[in-house]
């Protein structure tokens, strides 16, 4: 397999085509070993998304967030915040319950794909040498995502209270306009946070650095390439959402209507979960190709080389010119 780090920076469509080409070159490995490790995580996400709203765990989180919105002065009775509350409650519940599968199945699969792309043959490495750096980075990513959500909540808190203090929120149109503005700003913050965290996992696996070091390195690498990363994440996430919708339509609906035998539902559900795991593997490949493009573009275009080092437990950001680097 050709080393993905030598691929130059390309448009999103070319990155996707390159990723599909790499996937098809070794589809036996990616659709068996790598997908097998990702399968428990995929199955847990699909099942939790389907049955969390009917569980006793979900209403507790929903009510707590509803009280939090009321205490912060948000118009929690509005349709926008009802939807936000429902989505955040579902995300928290799924993230908490699926966390054991995230740090095991998901990271094992991602580590396996990253290691396979770092060698000429994907079967040469199956001992997960990058798992522990990935685990440390994933834990730090969780803290970063929580911090980003807290930042969004703080911005909404100040925004709504300042507008309410100055102009009042009695007009439904002003509430809708402010809600839409807050949703756009929060979406931008969270989207950038997620792509940085995703790139940090690939950086951690490729360079064997873990934790905040990988996150700092991904922040350096992604400068000026945020639009490419976002446009790359959209089609992959749409594909994952389509699989989730298919699971809801084919499995969950049939389960509640009791029109299909349970054994047939289980087989079909396993196949849909397998499709989801294959897409997760393809997403990791695309992230690796994007990471390789960032590294190549950094070496070939930027007039300096950025290196993050850890010296005596202190982070050092070292910048060299290309002449000094070579």
């Amino acid at each position: 397999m050709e080393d993905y780090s030598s691929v130059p920076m390309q448009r999103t469509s070319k990155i996707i085509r390159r990723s599909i080409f790499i996937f098809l070159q070794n589809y036996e490995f990616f659709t068996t070993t790598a997908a097998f490790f990702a399968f428990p995580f995929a199955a847990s996400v699909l099942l939790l998304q389907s049955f969390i709203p009917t569980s006793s765990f979900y209403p507790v989180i929903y009510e707590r967030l509803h009280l939090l919105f009321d205490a912060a002065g948000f118009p929690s009775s509005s349709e926008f915040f009802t939807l936000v509350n429902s989505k955040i409650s579902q995300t928290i519940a799924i993230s908490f319950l699926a966390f054991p599968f995230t740090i095991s199945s998901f990271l094992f699969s991602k580590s396996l794909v990253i290691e396979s792309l770092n060698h000429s043959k994907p079967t040469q490495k199956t001992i997960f040498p990058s798992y522990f750096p990935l685990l440390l980075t994933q834990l730090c990513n969780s803290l970063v995502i929580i911090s980003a959500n807290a930042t969004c909540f703080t911005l909404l808190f100040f925004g709504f209270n300042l507008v309410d203090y100055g102009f009042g929120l009695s007009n439904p149109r002003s509430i809708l306009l402010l809600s839409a503005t807050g949703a756009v700003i929060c979406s931008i913050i969270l989207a950038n946070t997620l792509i940085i965290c995703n790139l940090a996992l690939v950086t951690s696996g490729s360079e064997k650095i873990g934790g905040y070091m990988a996150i700092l390195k991904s922040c350096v690498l992604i400068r000026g390439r945020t639009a490419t990363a976002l446009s790359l994440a959209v089609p992959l996430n749409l594909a994952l959402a389509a699989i989730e919708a298919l699971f809801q339509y084919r499995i969950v609906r049939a389960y509640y209507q009791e029109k299909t035998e349970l054994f047939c539902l289980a087989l079909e559900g396993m196949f849909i979960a397998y499709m989801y795991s294959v897409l997760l593997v393809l997403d990791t490949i695309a992230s690796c190709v994007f990471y390789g493009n960032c590294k190549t573009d950094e070496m070939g275009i930027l007039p300096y080389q950025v290196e993050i080092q850890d010296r005596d437990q202190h982070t050092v950001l070292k910048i060299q010119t290309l002449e000094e680097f070579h």
Side-chain angles (χ1 to χ4, degrees), residues 186-205:
C186 292
S187 298
I188 293 174
I189 294 174
L190 293 177
N192 281 273
T193 302
L194 291 176
I195 63 175
I196 289 174
C197 291
N198 189 37
L199 184 60
L201 287 175
V202 178
T203 304
S204 178

Side-chain angles (χ1 to χ4, degrees), residues 13-14 21 49 83 93 107 115 123 134 168 173 203 206 219 223-224 236 243 275 286-288 290 296 303-304 316:
S13 59
K14 292 184 178 180
F21 174 74
Q49 285 183 346
L83 179 62
L107 292 186
E115 285 299 322
T123 55
L134 281 172
R173 291 186 177 180
T203 304
S206 299
C219 291
R223 288 185 308 172
L236 293 171
I243 298 295
M275 293 171 58
S287 299
C288 290
F290 177 69
T296 303
Y304 52 82
V316 178

Side-chain angles (χ1 to χ4, degrees), residues 12-13 16 228-242 279 283:
T12 303
S13 59
I16 294 176
T228 303
L230 288 172
S231 59
L232 181 63
V234 167
L236 293 171
N237 282 278
L238 285 177
L240 292 174
L279 280 178
D283 176 61

Side-chain angles (χ1 to χ4, degrees), residues 23-317:
F23 176 81
L24 294 177
Q25 267 190 320
N26 296 275
Y27 67 92
E28 298 95 343
F29 172 77
F30 290 126
T31 57
T32 53
T33 307
F36 170 78
F37 280 100
F39 181 83
F41 172 78
S44 66
V45 170
L46 291 175
L47 289 173
L48 289 172
Q49 285 183 346
S50 304
F51 300 108
I52 276 292
T54 61
S55 67
S56 59
F57 187 59
Y58 173 80
V60 175
I61 300 177
Y62 184 88
E63 289 299 327
R64 298 299 182 187
L65 286 177
H66 185 77
L67 293 175
L68 181 61
F69 285 158
D70 283 337
F74 296 153
S76 57
S77 59
S78 67
E79 185 176 341
F80 170 76
F81 277 100
T82 301
L83 179 62
V84 169
N85 191 0
S86 176
K87 185 61 179 177
I88 293 178
S89 302
Q90 184 176 355
T91 302
I92 292 174
I94 293 174
S95 300
F96 178 76
L97 294 177
F99 188 72
F101 297 98
T102 301
I103 62 176
S104 57
S105 169
F106 177 71
L107 292 186
F108 278 133
S109 175
K110 189 173 285 287
S111 174
L112 194 63
V113 172
I114 294 172
E115 285 299 322
S116 70
L117 295 178
N118 283 330
H119 297 82
S120 58
K121 292 183 180 180
T123 55
Q124 286 184 354
K125 285 286 182 180
T126 56
I127 56 175
F128 311 107
S130 61
Y131 171 73
F132 289 105
L134 281 172
L135 177 60
L136 183 57
T137 304
Q138 180 64 34
L139 296 177
C140 293
N141 282 348
S142 300
L143 297 178
V144 170
I145 293 173
I146 292 174
S147 301
N149 281 276
T151 301
C152 293
F153 181 84
T154 304
L155 291 176
L156 289 175
F157 170 77
F158 282 110
F160 273 92
N161 282 275
L162 286 176
V163 173
D164 187 29
Y165 178 78
F167 306 99
L169 290 174
S170 58
N171 189 354
R173 291 186 177 180
S174 62
I175 295 178
L176 179 62
L177 178 61
L178 188 58
S179 300
T181 304
V184 171
I185 295 175
C186 292
S187 298
I188 293 174
I189 294 174
L190 293 177
N192 281 273
T193 302
L194 291 176
I195 63 175
I196 289 174
C197 291
N198 189 37
L199 184 60
L201 287 175
V202 178
T203 304
S204 178
S206 299
E207 303 185 17
K208 306 300 183 297
I209 55 177
Y212 68 93
M213 296 287 294
I215 297 175
L216 288 175
K217 187 65 177 291
S218 67
C219 291
V220 172
L221 289 175
I222 208 169
R223 288 185 308 172
R225 308 174 185 92
T226 306
T228 303
L230 288 172
S231 59
L232 181 63
V234 167
L236 293 171
N237 282 278
L238 285 177
L240 292 174
I243 298 295
E244 294 169 2
L246 178 64
F247 187 84
Q248 293 285 331
Y249 178 77
R250 293 291 303 172
I251 306 302
V252 178
R253 192 187 67 157
Y255 174 79
Y256 284 113
Q257 292 179 352
E258 299 181 353
K259 292 184 178 180
T260 309
E261 293 183 1
L262 189 60
F263 179 73
C264 296
L265 280 180
L267 288 179
E268 188 174 358
M270 291 175 63
F271 177 72
I272 295 175
Y274 170 75
M275 293 171 58
Y276 196 88
S277 63
V278 170
L279 280 178
L280 290 175
V281 172
L282 185 58
D283 176 61
T284 304
I285 296 173
S287 299
C288 290
V289 175
F290 177 69
Y291 166 79
N293 289 341
C294 292
K295 293 289 290 184
T296 303
D297 191 52
E298 179 191 15
M299 291 295 297
I301 298 178
L302 296 181
Y304 52 82
Q305 169 70 17
V306 180
E307 182 181 358
I308 298 178
Q309 299 175 344
D310 191 10
R311 295 178 181 174
D312 299 328
Q313 298 181 348
H314 295 285
T315 302
V316 178
L317 188 64

